[in-house]
Amino acid sequence: ICNHTSGFLQKYMMDLTQYQTNVGTLLTKGNTLLQAGDLTSQQEQEVKGQVDLLNQEWEDLRVGAMERQTRWAALIRFSH
């Protein structure tokens, strides 16, 4: 069970790293749109809202993943 949990944890963290790249790309593109100044006021508000929402949700997911990783590592240590 420990090897299975450890493998799952490694895959989970690798997946998060991959997603981080994608999220970073989306945030950069959103900010580029905002800085270009080609959007209407309404479009700018919508893009800013989506960028802020994505950033907050990603941060919440990242913090939760780190907390889970810490708990899993502790469980693995105590099970040996």
Side-chain angles (χ1 to χ4, degrees), residues 25-77:
T25 298
L26 289 171
L27 292 173
T28 298
K29 287 183 178 187
N31 285 321
T32 299
L33 280 172
L34 292 171
Q35 292 173 358
D38 297 331
L39 302 175
T40 66
S41 177
Q42 181 179 356
Q43 289 171 328
E44 187 175 310
Q45 288 177 358
E46 288 174 13
V47 170
K48 182 165 179 12
Q50 291 299 315
V51 166
D52 290 347
L53 179 62
L54 176 59
N55 194 39
Q56 183 59 55
E57 287 183 352
W58 176 252
E59 183 62 17
D60 291 347
L61 178 65
R62 190 187 66 75
V63 168
M66 290 174 60
E67 289 171 352
R68 278 190 289 288
Q69 181 183 24
T70 300
R71 287 193 305 266
W72 284 341
L75 286 172
I76 290 169
R77 270 195 317 271

Side-chain angles (χ1 to χ4, degrees), residues 1-10 68-80:
I1 291 179
C2 288
N3 287 339
H4 175 71
T5 302
S6 179
F8 175 77
L9 176 59
Q10 287 175 333
R68 278 190 289 288
Q69 181 183 24
T70 300
R71 287 193 305 266
W72 284 341
L75 286 172
I76 290 169
R77 270 195 317 271
F78 290 125
S79 68
H80 288 327

